[in-house]
């Protein structure tokens, strides 16, 4: 726990771990706002959808009609679950001469950190937040073939970031990008993403008319059946949303987008009667995980769809597996362990429109 070296023991300002406040704890929306969770699914299990009936109404009338089989178009998707694992250990000696020292037990039990202020008030809440971020990372940014930007065959993952953090499953962005690669009409282009530097990517998206043009095109390009879903919405990066707010304000003087900030980094708004969910966690993960040192990988993104058409699932009874926190009497280590499986699916490929 080397990070505690940044704090002086009993320096008159911090005497107890409960006084230690996480400097930045982002309050992100529940993952279920962006996709639909499924528990108890099995690897290889199929998820089926009825799409639509075939065309009917031929040129005929009178008695003795010719009956034909009913033509029903179906969609079948297969769950592909991968395993994620958390395995961490803590030795009490790492906490000596730090602000965590006051929370240690005494004598023979000094090594046992279970049921201490350190474990209950710092490690467990911090790890809970890390697990939440893990789910966002896997569900949206997962890639079983993830590679670093420095790899010889090229990749999108920032140099120095462990690609094993992404390889559990293919995330929704990878699946969405696959759909628009096969069906270019479902892609709405954001020219600012193609700029050669991060600075240009950020400045070009804020030019007059750009953000409004992107969202107008996104709505115009989309399959109209998307709007039939009661939960249809536009999920977008905060960078695009901020540009949209500024564009509306600068184009229509005296007019601005109204929005509700549910929590830090979570904004709900509307544009042309369509619900918007601005997700700052996407921006943060793109900046951290998809940065080649010169530019970001598609920093501005929007997905027009129904979250009920996007799925993430596990074979467990709960989405988040229980954390096992134990003290090993022999090694004197405190062990933290959790393991489960996760995968993603997109229901009807036609019912998504993606702006990148």
């Amino acid at each position: 726990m080397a990070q505690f070296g940044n704090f002086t023991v009993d320096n008159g300002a911090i005497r107890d771990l409960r006084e230690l406040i996480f400097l930045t704890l982002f309050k992100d929306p529940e993952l279920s706002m962006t996709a639909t969770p499924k528990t108890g699914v099995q690897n290889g299990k199929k998820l089926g959808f009825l799409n639509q009936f075939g065309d009917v109404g031929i040129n005929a009338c009178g008695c003795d009609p010719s009956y034909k089989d009913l033509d029903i178009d179906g969609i079948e998707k297969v769950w592909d679950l991968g395993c994620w694992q958390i395995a961490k250990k803590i030795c009490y000696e790492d906490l000596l001469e730090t602000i965590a020292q006051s929370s240690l037990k005494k004598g023979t039990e000094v090594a046992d950190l279970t049921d201490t202020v350190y474990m209950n008030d710092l490690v467990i809440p911090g790890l809970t937040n890390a697990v939440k971020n893990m789910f966002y990372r896997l569900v949206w940014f997962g890639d079983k073939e993830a590679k670093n930007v420095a790899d010889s065959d090229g990749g999108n993952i920032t140099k120095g970031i462990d690609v094993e953090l992404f390889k559990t499953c293919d995330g929704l962005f990878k699946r969405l990008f696959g759909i628009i690669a096969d069906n270019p009409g479902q892609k709405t282009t954001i020219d600012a993403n193609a700029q050669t530097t991060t600075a240009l990517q950020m400045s070009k998206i804020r030019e007059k008319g750009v953000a409004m043009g992107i969202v107008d095109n996104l709505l115009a390009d989309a399959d109209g059946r998307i709007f039939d879903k009661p939960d249809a919405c536009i999920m977008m990066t905060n960078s695009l949303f901020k540009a949209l707010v500024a564009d509306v304000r600068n184009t229509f003087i005296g007019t601005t987008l109204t929005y509700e900030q549910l929590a830090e980094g979570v904004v709900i708004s509307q544009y042309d009667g369509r619900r918007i969910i601005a997700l700052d966690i996407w921006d943060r993960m793109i900046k951290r995980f998809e940065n080649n040192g010169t530019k970001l990988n598609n920093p501005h993104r929007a997905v027009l769809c129904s979250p009920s058409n996007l799925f993430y699932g596990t074979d467990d009874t709960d989405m988040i597996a229980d954390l096992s926190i134990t003290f090993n009497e022999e090694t004197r280590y405190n062990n933290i362990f959790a393991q489960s499986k996760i995968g993603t699916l997109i229901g009807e490929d036609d019912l998504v429109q993606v702006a990148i």
Side-chain angles (χ1 to χ4, degrees):
M1 292 294 171
Q3 67 269 27
F4 286 115
N6 296 326
F7 299 93
T8 303
V9 180
D10 195 11
N11 63 357
I14 300 174
R15 297 175 182 273
D16 189 292
L17 278 180
R18 280 169 288 202
E19 297 178 32
L20 181 61
I21 300 173
F22 288 102
L23 297 179
T24 308
L25 181 60
F26 293 101
K27 297 178 181 178
D28 296 305
E30 293 298 323
L31 186 55
S32 57
M33 284 185 64
T34 68
T36 302
K38 294 284 187 180
T39 58
V41 302
Q42 298 175 359
N43 192 48
K45 183 179 179 180
K46 297 177 180 179
L47 189 65
F49 303 86
L50 289 180
N51 188 9
Q52 59 185 2
F53 287 91
D55 296 324
V56 296
I58 62 173
N59 179 28
C61 65
C63 299
D64 195 21
S66 175
Y67 286 87
K68 298 181 180 180
D69 292 337
L70 186 61
D71 182 16
I72 302 177
D73 183 18
I75 300 171
E76 196 171 65
K77 298 294 183 72
V78 179
W79 282 105
D80 182 11
L81 303 180
C83 193
W84 61 264
Q85 185 180 90
I86 298 170
K88 299 291 184 180
K89 64 181 181 179
I90 308 171
C91 176
Y92 82 98
E93 289 185 320
D94 294 333
L95 309 181
L96 297 177
E97 302 303 322
T98 75
I99 62 170
Q101 180 173 315
S102 63
S103 74
L104 298 180
K105 298 175 183 178
K106 306 301 180 184
T108 302
E109 300 302 317
V110 67
D112 184 359
L113 302 179
T114 60
D115 198 26
T116 62
V117 172
Y118 169 75
M119 185 65 73
N120 295 340
D121 291 9
L122 184 70
V123 173
I124 293 177
L127 192 56
T128 299
N129 192 60
V131 170
K132 185 177 180 179
N133 285 337
M134 176 197 76
F135 272 90
Y136 260 103
R137 185 185 70 243
L138 292 176
V139 169
W140 279 101
F141 293 85
D143 184 352
K144 293 195 293 184
E145 298 177 342
K147 300 180 182 66
N148 289 113
V149 293
D151 289 353
S152 58
D153 50 352
N156 293 322
I157 304 302
T158 305
K159 181 180 179 181
I161 297 291
D162 187 355
V163 295
E164 296 301 321
L165 292 170
F166 303 87
K167 288 188 174 182
T168 292
C169 66
D170 284 336
L172 292 171
F173 274 131
K174 183 174 182 180
R175 296 189 184 281
L176 290 166
F177 294 165
I179 289 172
I180 62 177
D182 293 336
N183 302 280
Q186 290 178 252
K187 175 185 176 181
T188 301
T189 300
I190 299 179
D191 291 331
N193 283 334
Q195 298 299 312
T196 56
T197 66
T198 299
L200 284 172
Q201 288 174 318
M202 296 304 163
S203 64
K204 291 295 183 181
I205 197 68
R206 293 191 292 266
E207 290 183 352
K208 186 175 181 180
V210 171
M212 288 176 57
I214 290 167
V215 180
D216 287 341
N217 290 337
L218 183 74
L219 293 169
D221 295 342
D223 189 314
R225 291 175 294 167
I226 295 175
F227 305 111
D228 295 334
K229 302 287 187 179
D231 61 339
C233 65
I234 307 171
M235 293 180 280
M236 64 175 62
T237 56
N238 200 34
S239 63
L240 179 55
F241 178 70
K242 287 180 177 179
L244 180 63
V245 171
D247 206 6
V248 170
R249 183 178 61 245
N250 295 333
T251 302
F252 305 103
I253 305 301
T255 301
T256 187
L257 290 182
T258 59
Y259 59 86
E260 177 185 3
Q261 186 153 346
L262 299 183
E264 186 175 353
V266 187
V267 170
I268 303 294
S269 184
Q270 281 198 355
Y271 179 85
D272 196 22
R274 305 301 178 185
R275 187 169 184 249
I276 290 175
I277 303 177
L279 298 164
D280 189 58
I281 193 169
W282 284 2
D283 300 70
R284 298 199 308 271
M285 289 195 169
I286 292 168
K287 288 175 183 176
R288 181 183 176 193
F289 296 132
E290 299 191 8
N291 185 345
N292 70 6
T294 302
K295 58 180 290 188
L296 303 177
N297 180 42
N298 297 317
H300 316 299
R301 306 182 188 187
V303 180
L304 171 58
C305 69
S306 163
S308 59
N309 191 41
L310 308 179
F311 300 92
Y312 61 102
T314 179
D315 61 354
D316 209 340
T317 54
D318 295 299
M319 282 307 307
I320 299 181
D322 291 335
L323 287 172
S324 171
I325 301 176
T326 58
F327 174 64
N328 188 302
E329 292 283 356
E330 182 177 348
T331 66
R332 314 306 285 173
Y333 273 110
N334 297 267
N335 298 318
I336 301 173
F337 184 82
Q339 178 175 294
S340 190
K341 292 184 178 180
I342 195 170
T344 66
L345 277 181
I346 295 177
E348 297 182 68
D349 290 357
D350 291 342
L351 301 188
V352 297
Q353 187 71 28
V354 182
I356 58 169

